[in-house]
Amino acid sequence: MLLLRSGLAVALLTAVSTATPNFLVLLVDDLGWKHVGYQGGAYETPRIDRLASESVVFSRAYIPAPTCSPSRAALLTGRHPARLGLVRHIPIGRKFGFDAMGRTDQEFNQWEGDPSRWPSRNWLPLDAVTVAEAVGPLGYRSAFFGKWHLGSEDYHPIRQGFDEQYGVSNFGHPRSYYPPYWPAGNPYPDEDPDTYLTDRLTDDAVGYLTRPDGARPFLAAVFFYNVHSPLMGRKDLVRKYLARGFSDDRAQLAAMVEATDSGVGRILDALEESGHADDTVVIFLGDQGGLRYNEPLRGGKPGGTALYEGGARVPLLIRWPESVPRTVDQSTPVVSSDIFPTIADLAGGDPDMWAPLDGVSLKPLLAGDGRIEREALFLERHYEDQYAAVVAGDWKLVAYWSGMRELYNLADDPGEDRDISSRHPDRVRELSESLADWRAVVGLRPEPGTR
């Protein structure tokens, strides 16, 4: 049940419910919670920081399965990747049954180091309803830009409800951020050798937003390849950071972050130029924690630490000048699978039409004084011993397949430095039982030693 407090919230949400906005979703790969300036990060992100000053800032936003393909599936469908059977990234290479073009007929893959031996899909099933398929019947046109990583051509965005796609490949990351970007199936085969991939993708998004296209509202999803490996910044920006004394890898990452920030700024400028800045809901977030430099949060993208805050917590901003107050700090724990029902709700649809959904609409929180009722968030991975986490208010349980449990109070210990499981056995038991119940609901195998 969704509850609201205060007359202001009710008035604002009345405005929200009667408008028909556009949607612009900006997803940045491997952008850590601490990689943006507005969180006190070390990198220059002036346009993202400006967006934060105009947005509801969700300071506790999580990815339900922090890795590339599952995070995208969750955002696009509103379902937990475990429910979709897509619990790992879609791999490449003959070892996993893929050809040189990134194609396979094998529906599932196995991961040698996964103690659960759980299979994971090699594409997003076509019968999974995406947010583009949800809003299409409501009168929306849609376009997808960039990193898909949810299957090869038969499962590309235009097969999953999007009207147009740009810069989409069969691979999860480029071989190089300078041409030729990919070894095969390159969507930009004739690009100038000095064109940075993020700039090229931004050109497509800018062209779409500034192109007159009738009176229909739009959904534009821009999924940057940056700042995923290979660690390769834009050359002029790398030189800038090296001159400041950054180490080479730090300079490369800083340059990748700044190039992405520049792309975000150009896209927002194009939105302003189109005359749709006020009636467009802009959603900005990362797809998982960063590969490195996530301090003071613990962990990051690397295996074995991804369910700590450094790997699972990401930046999330939502701006809607026409209907939502700016600069609201929202500390309610939310998850990226909430994006689908939020967009469907704000577009005038009923999220219950696409049940079962694991996300909920964030519409009440956009007013700054609303609530959503949800007991816990469940995070899940299938690579290594550390496989699940439960976030319930300030409490966080981290579970290992081998049976170990860790417990943290994030209000007192956001860096997860002090495991307090031995002091709170009842809380560990309660959250472990919730995890076991949830796993049964989404169809996952019980852990060893559980009922």
Side-chain angles (χ1 to χ4, degrees), residues 35-284:
H35 288 170
V36 289
Y38 75 86
Q39 301 280 32
Y43 305 115
E44 294 187 13
T45 56
R47 295 307 305 267
I48 296 171
D49 299 344
R50 176 178 164 187
L51 178 64
S53 73
E54 301 165 346
S55 301
V56 178
V57 178
F58 291 86
S59 57
R60 294 188 64 196
Y62 292 90
I63 299 299
T67 188
C68 296
S69 305
S71 70
R72 283 158 178 73
L75 189 158
L76 289 167
T77 69
R79 297 186 176 191
H80 198 288
R83 192 186 292 277
L84 296 165
L86 217 170
V87 296
R88 291 186 292 273
H89 74 285
I90 296 171
I92 58 172
R94 297 193 184 282
K95 173 182 176 180
F96 295 99
F98 287 77
D99 66 17
M101 295 295 294
R103 302 170 183 144
T104 183
D105 294 327
Q106 298 179 20
E107 186 175 3
F108 292 92
N109 69 76
Q110 290 283 356
W111 193 261
E112 185 176 322
D114 174 21
S116 73
R117 304 303 301 158
W118 199 255
S120 183
R121 279 199 164 94
N122 286 324
W123 53 76
L124 179 67
L126 293 177
D127 60 359
V129 177
T130 69
V131 65
E133 291 171 310
V135 301
L138 300 175
Y140 281 77
R141 55 188 171 96
S142 59
F144 185 92
F145 304 82
K147 177 172 173 174
W148 179 246
H149 207 184
L150 290 171
S152 56
E153 290 92 340
D154 288 344
Y155 305 94
H156 272 186
I158 56 175
R159 299 296 302 275
Q160 299 276 16
F162 286 92
D163 299 316
E164 304 175 50
Q165 67 179 47
Y166 301 86
V168 175
S169 78
N170 290 345
F171 303 96
H173 61 84
R175 180 178 64 181
S176 169
Y177 280 91
Y178 284 97
Y181 306 116
W182 289 272
N186 194 336
Y188 300 125
D190 303 316
E191 198 54 51
D192 183 283
D194 291 326
T195 302
Y196 195 63
L197 176 57
T198 302
D199 296 333
R200 180 64 185 84
L201 189 67
T202 298
D203 290 343
D204 283 336
V206 167
Y208 179 83
L209 292 174
T210 55
R211 183 183 75 201
D213 201 345
R216 288 191 300 158
F218 64 80
L219 164 66
V222 183
F223 286 21
F224 291 98
Y225 288 95
N226 263 2
V227 293
H228 194 289
S229 60
L231 207 58
M232 184 181 294
R234 207 175 72 196
K235 294 174 185 177
D236 60 318
L237 297 175
V238 173
R239 290 193 292 269
K240 165 184 167 180
Y241 286 104
L242 287 174
R244 293 184 180 181
F246 280 50
S247 65
D248 181 68
D249 69 333
R250 195 88 187 228
Q252 297 287 349
L253 180 58
M256 294 178 84
V257 171
E258 186 172 344
T260 307
D261 181 80
S262 175
V264 168
R266 287 181 55 208
I267 290 168
L268 294 177
D269 288 344
L271 186 66
E272 185 77 38
E273 180 184 338
S274 74
H276 287 296
D278 287 344
D279 62 359
T280 298
V281 179
V282 177
I283 302 172
F284 172 92

Side-chain angles (χ1 to χ4, degrees), residues 77-80 83-84 340 351-359 441-442:
T77 69
R79 297 186 176 191
H80 198 288
R83 192 186 292 277
L84 296 165
F340 175 108
D352 289 340
M353 289 177 58
W354 299 284
L357 295 180
D358 297 293
V441 167
V442 298

